[in-house]
């Protein structure tokens, strides 16, 4: 009978221990160099990101005109904000503009992306053409739309006169101002969202469309039964980003109707009202409080949109399973 002896690892030589320690020390130095390489981003983010956020929160509890000493007022800025009728009016204006701009914008973007996903000539040219408004100067866009919606010599009123219809004072009426601002938003962001939808469409297997054509499905049936359900995560993303962007409307109403939001502050959005209080009236503490109020509203509204889109998608999935 043969016996086997266990194989034991050889004892580590002093030279090996020294080399291992040297390797560990070299690894720490390499890690330190890597951390130093990425540290500029975190330093800049701390200076230009975290510090302004923390300082704005601190400033919201102060009364400060930007020059003199600060005066601690506690929650007085937030209490005044909750009782400020112009602040609530700016919230209503923002939601109204968001509603009449975002829903048509996303629908047109989805239709455009669906058409661009078809086998048509010059698809690249169409994609560039639809994306150009997003990279155009917003000030130039606002000036052009100001000439279109001008009360006296606007192109839109000239077209209405040509059709023997009554003209509209677009920039003097509450809904005229909101329609003009919403038209700017739709024109600028439809192509951007269409490109995002197009990227999502290209990830859908073509076999589904081919099977639908074999079964005799029409173009609109393919759109609503295949495209829309499979693009639900992309639609949710665009809804949330459009909500955040819609709550931050500033340049469009400022250039179109001025810092005061136009007649009766009908074009005053939340960010425009923040700018007016902080940089026009020099109420920096109140402006910081409005900024944090805007932050809370954006979170709540984004969560509501997320639940609505998710709930609609789940109901659609259950109906598809039953079908």
């Amino acid at each position: 009978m043969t016996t086997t002896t266990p194989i034991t690892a050889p004892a580590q030589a002093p030279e090996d221990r020294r080399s291992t320690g040297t390797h560990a020390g070299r690894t720490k130095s390499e890690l330190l160099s890597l951390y130093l390489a990425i540290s500029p981003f975190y330093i800049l983010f701390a200076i230009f990101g975290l510090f302004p956020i923390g300082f704005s929160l601190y400033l919201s509890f102060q009364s400060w005109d930007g020059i003199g000493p600060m005066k601690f007022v506690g929650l007085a800025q937030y209490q005044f904000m909750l009782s400020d009728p112009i602040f609530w009016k700016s919230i209503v204006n923002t939601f109204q503009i968001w509603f009449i701009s975002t829903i048509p914008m996303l629908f047109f973007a989805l239709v455009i992306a669906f058409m661009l996903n078809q086998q048509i000539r010059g698809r690249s040219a169409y994609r560039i053409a639809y994306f150009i408004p997003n990279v155009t100067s917003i000030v130039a866009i606002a000036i052009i739309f100001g000439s279109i919606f001008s009360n006296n010599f606007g192109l839109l009123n000239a077209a209405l006169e040509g059709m023997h219809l009554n003209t509209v004072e677009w920039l003097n009426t509450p809904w005229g101002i909101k329609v003009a601002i919403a038209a700017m938003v739709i024109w600028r962001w439809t192509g951007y969202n269409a490109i995002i939808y197009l990227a999502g469409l290209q990830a859908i297997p073509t076999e589904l469309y081919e099977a639908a054509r074999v079964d005799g499905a029409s173009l609109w049936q393919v759109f609503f039964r295949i495209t829309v359900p499979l693009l639900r995560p992309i639609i949710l993303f665009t809804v949330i980003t459009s909500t955040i962007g819609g709550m931050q409307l500033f340049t469009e109403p400022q250039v179109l109707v001025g810092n005061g939001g136009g007649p009766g502050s009908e074009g005053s959005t939340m960010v425009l009202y923040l700018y007016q209080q902080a940089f026009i009236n020099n109420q920096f503490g109140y402006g910081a409080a409005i900024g944090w109020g805007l932050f809370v509203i954006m979170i709540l509204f984004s969560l509501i949109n997320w639940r609505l889109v998710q709930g609609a998608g789940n109901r659609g999935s259950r109906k598809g399973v039953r079908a």
Side-chain angles (χ1 to χ4, degrees):
M1 184 175 63
T2 60
T3 60
T4 59
T5 58
I7 300 175
T8 58
Q12 189 176 19
E15 294 79 4
D16 296 335
R17 287 195 295 268
R18 287 195 300 269
S19 62
T20 303
T22 305
H23 177 70
R26 187 169 61 249
T27 302
K28 291 179 181 179
S29 63
E30 290 175 354
L31 290 176
L32 180 59
S33 63
L34 294 176
Y35 285 129
L36 290 175
I38 64 176
S39 62
F41 166 77
Y42 293 99
I43 295 173
L44 293 175
F45 177 72
I47 296 174
F48 298 102
L50 293 180
F51 174 74
I53 292 174
F55 183 72
S56 66
L57 181 61
Y58 169 78
L59 190 60
S60 65
F61 299 103
Q62 310 289 328
S63 177
W64 188 43
D65 61 357
I67 300 176
M70 296 183 184
K71 179 182 178 182
F72 179 77
V73 294
L75 297 175
Q77 305 282 16
Y78 293 97
Q79 293 173 353
F80 179 77
M81 180 182 67
L82 295 177
S83 61
D84 185 2
I86 305 299
F87 171 73
W88 290 106
K89 187 176 184 62
S90 68
I91 293 177
V92 174
N93 292 340
T94 303
F95 277 99
Q96 289 174 342
I97 295 172
W98 175 87
F99 182 80
I100 63 179
S101 64
T102 301
I103 294 178
M105 175 185 65
L106 295 182
F107 178 75
F108 291 150
L110 189 56
V111 173
I112 291 172
F114 181 74
M115 300 303 294
L116 290 178
N117 198 40
Q118 308 300 315
Q119 297 296 328
I120 58 175
R121 287 185 177 181
R123 287 189 299 175
S124 299
Y126 284 115
R127 295 173 187 176
I128 295 173
Y130 282 117
F131 192 75
I132 285 177
N134 185 254
V135 297
T136 306
S137 171
I138 186 60
V139 177
I141 295 172
I143 293 174
I144 293 173
F145 273 83
S147 64
I148 294 174
F149 288 95
S150 177
N151 297 323
N152 299 322
F153 306 103
L155 297 178
L156 193 55
N157 278 337
L160 292 176
E161 288 180 352
M163 294 184 290
H164 303 287
L165 299 175
N166 295 328
T167 60
V168 179
E169 293 187 355
W170 296 100
L171 302 182
N172 284 339
T173 57
W175 281 104
I177 293 174
K178 295 178 177 63
V179 169
I181 297 173
M184 294 174 57
V185 175
I186 293 172
W187 186 84
R188 185 186 183 196
W189 292 102
T190 297
Y192 172 83
N193 289 287
I195 298 300
I196 295 178
Y197 286 147
L198 182 61
L201 285 172
Q202 292 176 347
I204 298 177
T206 57
E207 291 81 4
L208 297 177
Y209 294 109
E210 294 174 356
R213 294 191 188 96
V214 170
D215 292 338
S218 65
L219 189 64
W220 287 106
Q221 288 176 331
V222 171
F223 178 74
F224 286 105
R225 299 293 180 89
I226 296 178
T227 303
V228 174
L230 292 179
L231 278 182
R232 184 166 56 89
I234 309 298
I235 294 174
L236 176 61
F237 169 77
T238 56
V239 167
I240 293 178
T241 55
S242 299
T243 298
I244 296 173
M247 297 297 104
Q248 295 177 343
L249 277 179
F250 170 71
T251 308
E252 293 89 343
Q254 186 202 31
V255 178
L256 198 62
V257 294
N259 294 326
S265 299
E266 294 295 338
S268 179
T269 60
M270 289 185 286
V271 178
L272 182 58
Y273 186 59
L274 184 158
Y275 173 82
Q276 179 187 6
Q277 293 299 317
F279 299 100
I280 304 299
N281 298 336
N282 295 326
Q283 299 291 334
F284 289 95
Y286 186 47
I290 295 174
W292 281 97
L294 173 62
F295 173 71
V296 173
I297 292 173
M298 288 171 57
I299 290 179
L300 294 177
F301 197 56
S302 297
L303 290 176
I304 293 173
N305 281 332
W306 181 77
R307 292 299 299 270
L308 290 176
V309 175
Q310 286 287 92
N314 292 334
R315 288 193 298 270
S317 300
R318 288 195 293 268
K319 290 180 180 178
V321 171
R322 287 197 297 269

